[in-house]
């Protein structure tokens, strides 16, 4: 009897692994579902007075709260002891009894919370974006000032393209750290403050790891509508496309598009459409993405000049201009950052208010080692 029990236990673990992967991945899935259920509870509590079926809300909210608490206990959230226990379990072999029990518990809660979400969809009136009173242009995003004449010129060009009637898809192209996201945030805020042609503005960050379904979920969350997680991607795309079609004019800002083969139509975004002024603006590192998604306008960000890089580092590090030796040393430091604002800002933040040239020499030495390792 004992060997049979062990065999069944082993087969059960294999089944779970085929469904949700290992312990770390299954915990990530459960954490995501838990956060989603928690967010829905918060949303319904805030808007409860607007619901037509208020009598049903308290029962499922209480049930949801209890499930969320139980799921977080399983994940080991909320205490240092729990976090330490979770770490030790994660480090253990998948064949250890403790890890198998943990994986089984996590999988059970993934199934329970998924079923709960489906039950809520069936019993409670879900408020979608079409229920709102009038357009929703979003809120302004916090963003730092643009760095360099190139970025300022790119923003002016993008603002002009945003007002064009003939260009529907726009790509912002550049290496990591050049400020693509920052530039698009400025364009997003411009669309909200200064452009009257868009009824809706949505900001969507591409999920990591990327998948069509996860991007659809991110878009649905930005649109404040709910997609059934059990539908296939084509049905979900049709649902999103149908909602977008009924919105009037909109602009979608899609940040961090990876070099993965897909189309906006697969997501549910049909832009451009004849006689529609709606637009999609995206950021990407890859030139192939711009072509693959049929972007009719591409704005490329270039690196900072040496002078711009030096000024940015001095400003970020808040270094006094009185020390000629230090300024000369920092100039060399800034040039070694290859004109990438992200690198310069990171170094300036770490070295802020440090005027000891020895510390700057050490930091420069570390940067040289890092560059050698990357090139080697």
């Amino acid at each position: 009897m004992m060997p049979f029990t062990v065999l069944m236990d082993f087969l059960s673990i294999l089944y779970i692994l085929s469904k949700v992967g290992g312990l770390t991945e299954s915990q990530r899935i459960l954490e995501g579902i838990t956060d989603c259920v928690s967010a829905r509870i918060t949303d319904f509590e805030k808007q409860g007075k607007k619901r037509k079926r208020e009598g049903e809300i308290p029962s499922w909210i209480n049930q949801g709260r209890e499930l969320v608490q139980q799921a977080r206990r399983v994940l080991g959230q909320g205490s240092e002891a729990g976090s330490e226990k979770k770490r030790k379990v994660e480090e253990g072999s998948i064949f250890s009894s403790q890890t198998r029990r943990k994986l089984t518990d996590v999988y059970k809660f993934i199934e329970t919370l998924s079923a709960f979400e489906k039950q809520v969809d069936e019993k409670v009136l879900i408020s979608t974006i079409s229920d709102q009173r009038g357009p929703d242009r979003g809120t302004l995003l916090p963003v730092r000032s643009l760095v360099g004449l190139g970025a300022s010129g790119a923003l002016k060009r993008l603002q002009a393209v945003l007002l064009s009637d003939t260009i529907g898809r726009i790509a912002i192209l550049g290496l990591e750290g050049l400020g693509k996201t920052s530039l698009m945030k400025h364009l997003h805020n411009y669309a909200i403050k200064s452009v009257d042609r868009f009824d809706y503005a949505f900001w969507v960050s591409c999920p990591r790891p990327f998948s069509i379904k996860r991007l659809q979920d991110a878009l649905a969350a930005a649109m404040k509508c709910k997609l059934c997680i059990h539908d296939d991607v084509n049905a979900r795309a049709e649902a999103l496309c149908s909602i977008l079609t009924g919105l009037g004019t909109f602009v979608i800002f899609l940040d961090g598009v990876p070099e993965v083969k897909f189309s906006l139509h697969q997501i549910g975004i049909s832009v451009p459409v004849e006689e529609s002024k709606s637009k999609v603006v995206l950021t990407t590192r890859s030139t192939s993405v711009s072509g693959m998604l049929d972007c009719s306008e591409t704005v490329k960000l270039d690196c900072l000049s040496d002078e711009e890089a030096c000024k940015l580092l001095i400003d970020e590090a808040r270094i006094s201009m009185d020390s000629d030796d230090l300024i000369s040393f920092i100039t060399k430091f800034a040039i070694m950052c290859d004109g990438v604002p992200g690198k310069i800002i990171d170094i300036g933040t770490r070295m802020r208010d440090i005027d000891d040239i020895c510390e700057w020499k050490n930091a420069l030495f570390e940067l040289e080692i890092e560059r050698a390792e990357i090139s080697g």
Side-chain angles (χ1 to χ4, degrees), residues 75-237:
L75 288 168
Q77 296 177 349
S79 68
E80 293 184 3
S83 298
E84 178 65 16
K85 181 179 179 182
K86 174 183 173 183
R87 183 187 65 77
K88 289 181 178 179
V89 171
E90 287 175 348
E91 291 174 353
S93 167
I94 191 63
F95 297 105
S96 71
S97 59
Q98 186 182 13
T99 304
R100 293 201 308 272
R101 285 197 301 270
K102 183 72 173 179
L103 181 59
T104 302
D105 289 343
V106 170
Y107 178 70
K108 285 179 179 177
F109 264 93
I110 290 174
E111 293 285 285
T112 300
L113 281 175
S114 298
F116 173 76
E117 276 200 302
K118 186 177 180 181
Q119 178 185 4
V120 170
D121 289 343
E122 293 171 351
K123 290 188 175 182
V124 182
L125 181 63
I126 301 298
S127 175
T128 65
I129 193 168
S130 59
D131 295 325
Q132 297 178 2
R133 298 179 181 178
D136 179 8
R137 292 161 61 83
T139 56
L140 297 178
L141 299 174
V143 60
R144 62 180 296 132
S145 300
L146 292 175
V147 178
L149 293 176
S152 299
L155 179 59
K156 290 181 180 179
R157 181 179 170 189
L158 287 166
Q159 289 171 343
V161 172
L162 202 64
L163 300 175
S164 168
D165 290 335
T166 58
I167 297 174
R169 300 183 183 184
I170 307 159
I172 301 173
L173 179 66
L175 299 173
E176 182 180 3
L178 286 184
K180 301 182 296 296
T181 298
S182 178
L183 178 59
M184 192 163 73
K185 284 182 178 180
H186 278 278
L187 187 65
H188 170 275
N189 292 348
Y190 170 76
I192 290 176
K193 290 190 300 183
S194 307
V195 180
D196 295 329
R197 65 186 294 158
F198 301 114
D199 297 320
Y200 296 87
F202 305 114
W203 180 279
V204 181
S205 297
C206 282
R208 296 289 186 272
F210 177 86
S211 72
I212 297 293
K213 184 172 285 190
R214 295 188 70 194
L215 181 52
Q216 288 173 334
D217 287 338
L219 177 59
M223 294 166 57
K224 301 176 185 175
C225 65
K226 179 67 180 177
L227 290 176
C228 180
I229 61 173
H230 301 287
D231 286 344
D232 63 34
V233 291
N234 293 326
R236 291 155 63 93

